[in-house]
Amino acid sequence: MTVEKRILDPKFELADSDTIAAYQLKTLLEILQKTWSTNEFYRAKWQEAGADLSKIKSLADFSERIPTVEKKDFVEDALANPPFGKRLAHGLSLKERSDIYTTSGTSGQGVEVHAQTATELRAMERLYGFLFHWAGLEPGDQTFLTLPITMLGGGRIEYQGAIGFGLNVYPVGNYDANRKLELLNRFRPKALYGSTSYFSHLAAVADRSPPCPSIKVLLTGLEGAGYSYFSRLENQWQAKVADRFGCTQLRTDFMFTCEHGIGVAGRPGMLHSLDPFVLLEVIDPQSGKPVKDGEFGEIVVTSLYHFDNPVVRCRIRDGGVFRKASYCACGRPFGGVEIGTIGRTDDVKKVKGVNIYPQAVDDLMYSFGEVDEYQILLTTSKTNADIAAIKVMPKAGLPAAGYDDFVARLKKDIHKKTGIHFDVELVADLPRSEYKARRWLDQRDR
Amino acid sequence: MTVEKRILDPKFELADSDTIAAYQLKTLLEILQKTWSTNEFYRAKWQEAGADLSKIKSLADFSERIPTVEKKDFVEDALANPPFGKRLAHGLSLKERSDIYTTSGTSGQGVEVHAQTATELRAMERLYGFLFHWAGLEPGDQTFLTLPITMLGGGRIEYQGAIGFGLNVYPVGNYDANRKLELLNRFRPKALYGSTSYFSHLAAVADRSPPCPSIKVLLTGLEGAGYSYFSRLENQWQAKVADRFGCTQLRTDFMFTCEHGIGVAGRPGMLHSLDPFVLLEVIDPQSGKPVKDGEFGEIVVTSLYHFDNPVVRCRIRDGGVFRKASYCACGRPFGGVEIGTIGRTDDVKKVKGVNIYPQAVDDLMYSFGEVDEYQILLTTSKTNADIAAIKVMPKAGLPAAGYDDFVARLKKDIHKKTGIHFDVELVADLPRSEYKARRWLDQRDR
């Protein structure tokens, strides 16, 4: 199969890795200097860690000498200097628009506050250009944004990225699924843009297949999903998946699939990090050292375009399997993460003494055409052992005669993949997610 | 009292009326030529009416020769050429972003579709600059947008206008009133931006007065309200009201109060039409002729900045009391409408043979400090006569001893104002509006 190459910015996409690295280092040093002189929050962290900026001559120096920051640091700063913290003081002192985002969660103490200026937003729009261009979209194309626009980053940032690129965005996030389907079939857009599992939900609610034939592109994201789930979405909608990854701490998406999309079952596609704009590190959460190609690690991000609201070595507690640029056939000089491997680093479950990655289970589950939705339930036996069970809602129309065979195959394959035995129960109904799916229930005694 | 003059664009605001009129005519002729050559919808309407563009040499010629259009024309066009109609074909053929809006109402047939290109949106941002600058706001000021962002024009257009000017916009329209109050008191913005009656609702829900002391400006709009209602809002919030007026058909607000705000009780302020951007006509709905200064008429709008999605002589079924530029002490060369007089032209009620303007009743009702909320109920007596009744929810804390006196004064004043007798009943509870208030219930036999 030949794949049409979609290059948006030849200067970066056709460069070699050394050129990109040199550009990163130069930009990084400017960011560090400016941050030192304008941002009390970061300066204090760096002073505390004894970091000396004048000693940083390489990207490796940077990773070794500059400490990471994370959610708890942001929350502490905001509580000590409400409501924005010292971290956001400089950006907000400029007389230009800033967009303010909060993270979700119940009100008050645990909520992070992030911001970016209008200048930073304009720079961010360049990043989204890669997503849309690689996905085969053009300015003027009609796109349904299924996320509501609120104080959360997710939704508002997507909206800004899309209008910055010039898409016709229909903000339908406030409408229920049936109303969305009605509007879809009235206005017949080319792309759907929202969170991965919501598209599956929409397809389940629709009374025809594909739910809207005009849809050619599914802009998935906001949550991890296994390869099989993406593949199933493509079948449900008869459209190509273009996946994205980002985080509120960076206030953008910054890793995208290229024109190779989700790839094929044995060799999934790759989320390409936009290296000229974001310095990506994938580290072993224990040692802090970079992981090797093909290994799972935690994602640490440094923005190379936020000069007034800097993001420097932020641990985001999401991880994935690191891949060098050479992994993808597209030839771009950007590293990244294999699709279908993204998950919270604290989501790895120890069951019967074995580490299990939820995405691996998800991938297996959706490789069975019989599975509509599933839920994993972990409990404790009387003898204090772990019990692992899977509740499966089979697809409507699956003949009851095939149940036993399906359950037997599922049990066998999941044991092969994880090394442990799961009970399997078929159930008539399971909850559907409207936003991010939560499929693991851990009810074990502790 | 001296009022600080806030001039955003001296070229227009300090010009004389003739200069403005000449600018309007020149721009109008360009719009007409371009519309004729690119827009089948308007061309067909004009041809049908026998309008000859070459004969238009003045603004008066324009009003005489070009026919009006209105909602039913747009809906017909969209039904004949779904989903956008011929009217929007040219704008959508350009490879640039267009924002698409629908009007509210139940799905399907009666819903209008409007659009504007990115170029038109950028032009529109200039208009909102006058609102914010006149209201005393600056780029970087924090503003809570209490409207949700959906397919409706109201909310999304406000958002675009605000970010275009450079305000820090908090999109809180999806949160309930208590959550909004919590966020208000956490982030302490300078301005509240939404629909008039919702601010009163927020104040009623708040457990302190003023509900948020940081608020200095209330950007009211989206619905008519009497002078007393604005005055009461200023007291509730200890903030200045800056009112705005617009319509989905024009896809913007285009009349704003100046630094004189709502004025004083005997001489209310004025919504100044931005004459260089919008050609305002206020006409007698029957004769189609312009009304005189101080007379109520229907608003007809022509955009002077929409070149690709033109709006030419659109009847919007909203009216107000026309005022010449000289009405306001600010000295700007812009005509407009007296605040507190805006209402649907089809909202005028014939009760007991007398025409009653709901805004006039509203103004009177809220001139009573005792009134928290009210509702008008029209029914039919056994002898086939109209019965007009007012249900009043008095403010919490009003001593029962004062009830009789209050009701007597209210009955007397409303008879004086309208010429008819209303029954008055005090009730414990009445519905609050979250969006636009609907206070008249007409249950008469027809």
Side-chain angles (χ1 to χ4, degrees), chain A residues 83-84 92 95-98 100 102 107-108 111 113 138-142 148-151 156 159 163 166-172 174-175 179 182 186-187, chain B residues 83-84 92 95-98 100 102 107-108 111 113 138-142 148-151 156 159 163 166-172 174-175 179 182 186-187:
Chain A
F84 300 111
L92 288 170
K95 278 285 171 197
E96 63 175 299
R97 160 192 173 205
S98 290
I100 312 280
T102 59
S107 72
V111 172
V113 182
E138 290 174 48
D141 277 342
Q142 299 194 58
I149 294 168
T150 66
M151 290 294 297
R156 191 146 53 122
Y159 182 64
I163 64 176
L167 295 179
N168 287 13
V169 184
Y170 290 66
V172 299
N174 272 38
Y175 304 121
R179 176 93 170 113
E182 187 186 301
R186 179 169 190 199
F187 291 109
Chain B
F84 299 110
L92 288 171
K95 276 286 173 197
E96 63 174 298
R97 161 192 171 204
S98 290
I100 312 280
T102 59
S107 72
V111 171
V113 182
E138 291 173 47
D141 278 343
Q142 299 192 58
I149 294 168
T150 66
M151 289 296 296
R156 191 146 55 120
Y159 182 65
I163 64 176
L167 295 179
N168 288 13
V169 184
Y170 291 66
V172 299
N174 272 38
Y175 304 121
R179 177 93 170 111
E182 188 186 299
R186 179 170 190 198
F187 291 109

Side-chain angles (χ1 to χ4, degrees), chain B residues 142-163:
Chain B
Q142 299 192 58
T143 306
F144 267 46
L145 178 65
T146 61
L147 300 163
I149 294 168
T150 66
M151 289 296 296
L152 297 181
R156 191 146 55 120
I157 289 169
E158 273 85 353
Y159 182 65
Q160 177 81 31
I163 64 176

Side-chain angles (χ1 to χ4, degrees), chain A residues 92-324:
Chain A
L92 288 170
S93 75
L94 306 170
K95 278 285 171 197
E96 63 175 299
R97 160 192 173 205
S98 290
D99 276 4
I100 312 280
Y101 315 100
T102 59
T103 50
S104 55
T106 51
S107 72
Q109 309 303 298
V111 172
E112 294 165 75
V113 182
H114 299 283
Q116 53 194 346
T117 63
T119 307
E120 290 166 341
L121 285 161
R122 277 193 298 274
M124 179 193 84
E125 290 171 1
R126 284 185 68 190
L127 277 68
Y128 276 94
F130 291 93
L131 167 63
F132 302 125
H133 185 75
W134 292 354
L137 298 173
E138 290 174 48
D141 277 342
Q142 299 194 58
T143 306
F144 267 46
L145 178 65
T146 62
L147 300 163
I149 294 168
T150 66
M151 290 294 297
L152 297 181
R156 191 146 53 122
I157 289 169
E158 272 85 354
Y159 182 64
Q160 175 81 31
I163 64 176
F165 180 71
L167 295 179
N168 287 13
V169 184
Y170 290 66
V172 299
N174 272 38
Y175 304 121
D176 66 26
N178 284 314
R179 176 93 170 113
K180 285 194 189 91
L181 287 165
E182 187 186 301
L183 289 165
L184 273 176
N185 283 295
R186 179 169 190 199
F187 291 109
R188 304 167 211 143
K190 187 170 176 186
L192 214 52
Y193 185 28
S195 55
T196 310
S197 63
Y198 190 75
F199 299 162
S200 179
H201 173 63
L202 265 187
V205 171
D207 57 7
R208 63 168 174 164
S209 176
C212 177
S214 68
I215 296 284
K216 301 285 174 259
V217 177
L218 301 169
L219 297 159
T220 57
L222 256 84
E223 57 186 337
Y227 176 85
S228 309
Y229 197 87
F230 289 122
S231 173
R232 169 176 299 211
L233 271 180
E234 292 198 335
N235 282 322
Q236 284 175 320
W237 287 86
Q238 291 295 303
K240 298 301 286 179
V241 161
D243 196 36
R244 68 190 191 279
F245 177 83
C247 54
T248 305
Q249 291 79 14
L250 193 57
R251 306 140 222 173
T252 190
D253 289 306
F254 68 99
M255 292 203 285
F256 307 124
T257 49
C258 68
E259 56 278 333
H260 291 267
I262 64 169
V264 292
R267 191 175 168 83
M270 171 176 167
L271 287 159
H272 300 67
S273 179
L274 294 180
D275 289 340
F277 304 95
V278 174
L279 185 62
L280 171 74
E281 300 174 70
V282 184
I283 65 168
D284 179 317
Q286 263 69 53
S287 71
K289 299 288 176 197
V291 299
K292 295 196 177 64
D293 186 87
E295 287 182 358
F296 183 91
E298 181 176 350
I299 294 169
V300 174
V301 289
T302 299
S303 172
L304 300 176
Y305 68 90
H306 284 91
F307 284 80
D308 294 309
N309 292 293
V311 188
V312 181
R313 297 211 80 213
C314 179
R315 293 182 67 159
I316 64 169
R317 302 293 176 191
D318 265 334
V321 169
F322 172 67
R323 288 295 180 185
K324 287 186 177 172

Side-chain angles (χ1 to χ4, degrees), chain B residues 320-389:
Chain B
V321 170
F322 173 66
R323 288 295 182 185
K324 287 187 177 171
S326 56
Y327 178 80
C328 186
C330 74
R332 289 182 179 83
F334 303 154
V337 165
E338 194 180 312
I339 68 152
T341 69
I342 300 270
R344 301 293 296 168
T345 49
D346 45 14
D347 264 1
V348 181
K349 298 286 179 190
K350 201 159 197 140
V351 184
K352 302 182 188 184
V354 175
N355 278 334
I356 299 184
Y357 288 93
Q359 286 327 332
V361 174
D362 191 78
D363 187 39
L364 178 72
M365 292 304 295
Y366 284 110
S367 71
F368 284 91
E370 293 91 343
V371 175
D372 188 345
E373 190 51 86
Y374 75 93
Q375 198 174 63
I376 309 279
L377 181 64
L378 303 177
T379 51
T380 303
S381 77
K382 284 179 188 161
T383 60
N384 231 16
D386 288 348
I387 302 177

